[in-house]
Amino acid sequence: MVSSRRTAAPAQAASALRRRGPVLERAILEAALDQLSTVGWNGLTMEGVAAGAQTGKAAVYRRWPSKEDLVVDALQSGLPVLDSAPECGNVREDLLELCRRMRAAMYSRPGFALRSVLHECDTVTAERFHGLITEGVIEPTVELIKEVLHRGIERGEVRPDIDEGLVGDVIPALMMYRSKVCGSEWEDGDLVEMIDHVMVPLLRHHTH
């Protein structure tokens, strides 16, 4: 009896790993995100992803013919969604909370994966990810900032003649610059300083 149970266990384990369709694809995409967030873009290999997903390399190549194709889908499937603007009662607190959510997204596993792509890819390869970054990260964030600004205008906290497009770019530009160019992290105090010393003065009514 003991012998038969020992024989059955490996067979059951092997059966559990015979995943197909969406289940297998999800495992491969998760393994790709793991690779990106640990060994980075340069260290990621299709073989490593296959091993992480506990499948064969052929199963990966059958779905994604190149490393770039795989990474695009992995990032699209895993990027956090910022789909609502905070409502804390005033524009300063709204922007600060939105920045905290952006920071959480940047330092999530998919966020680390995305930053590894941004930091390590050459210019030609990075072009493959431009649309993903713009449509999946930058544009939704700017729209939420604009929503916060609109509410601030309605409450009389924000001057109505601000250039929404320009002001909406300030926070993402600063956060991306510090992260990509300077390689520094955003502590909570840094976010407070950005809002209090940059954003709030930009939004105030001019005094004569």
Side-chain angles (χ1 to χ4, degrees):
M1 293 295 293
V2 172
S3 176
S4 65
R5 284 200 297 270
R6 287 176 176 172
T7 303
Q12 290 169 354
S15 176
L17 293 176
R18 292 195 195 104
R19 296 156 299 173
R20 294 181 176 84
V23 175
L24 177 57
E25 289 178 6
R26 169 52 54 187
I28 294 171
L29 294 173
E30 289 288 330
L33 286 176
D34 282 337
Q35 287 261 306
L36 281 170
S37 59
T38 53
V39 301
W41 167 263
N42 291 329
L44 182 144
T45 64
M46 301 294 260
E47 292 82 359
V49 171
Q54 297 181 301
T55 189
K57 185 170 66 174
V60 179
Y61 276 109
R62 190 159 55 244
R63 292 164 174 80
W64 295 278
S66 72
K67 172 175 165 176
E68 289 84 356
D69 294 324
L70 172 60
V71 169
V72 166
D73 280 359
L75 289 173
Q76 284 180 325
S77 72
L79 282 174
V81 177
L82 296 175
D83 57 2
S84 62
E87 295 193 53
C88 303
N90 63 75
V91 71
R92 178 190 181 274
E93 294 301 322
D94 286 349
L95 288 175
L96 187 55
E97 175 59 24
L98 182 54
C99 286
R100 291 186 178 118
R101 294 181 189 180
M102 291 167 61
R103 179 182 61 187
M106 288 172 64
Y107 294 107
S108 66
R109 186 183 58 159
F112 274 113
L114 177 58
R115 284 194 289 155
S116 79
V117 172
L118 292 174
H119 292 179
E120 298 177 35
C121 281
D122 57 53
T123 304
V124 175
T125 305
E127 283 297 317
R128 290 287 307 274
F129 302 101
H130 181 268
L132 169 65
I133 295 166
T134 301
E135 296 170 15
V137 179
I138 297 174
E139 289 179 353
T141 300
V142 170
E143 287 305 309
L144 294 182
I145 293 170
K146 288 180 180 178
E147 184 180 334
V148 169
L149 298 181
H150 286 158
R151 290 205 303 258
I153 292 172
E154 291 172 0
R155 289 193 298 257
E157 296 177 84
V158 176
R159 56 189 175 88
D161 63 337
I162 59 167
D163 184 326
E164 286 183 4
L166 187 60
V167 174
D169 285 341
V170 172
I171 291 174
L174 281 173
M175 293 187 76
M176 292 288 286
Y177 171 78
R178 283 272 190 93
S179 175
K180 183 177 180 181
V181 178
C182 304
S184 60
E185 297 185 3
W186 282 90
E187 302 293 340
D188 213 60
D190 298 322
L191 297 177
V192 171
E193 286 188 358
M194 176 174 60
I195 298 304
D196 287 345
H197 298 163
V198 178
M199 294 303 296
V200 170
L202 275 175
L203 304 179
R204 282 178 179 157
H205 293 271
H206 293 303
T207 56
H208 300 285

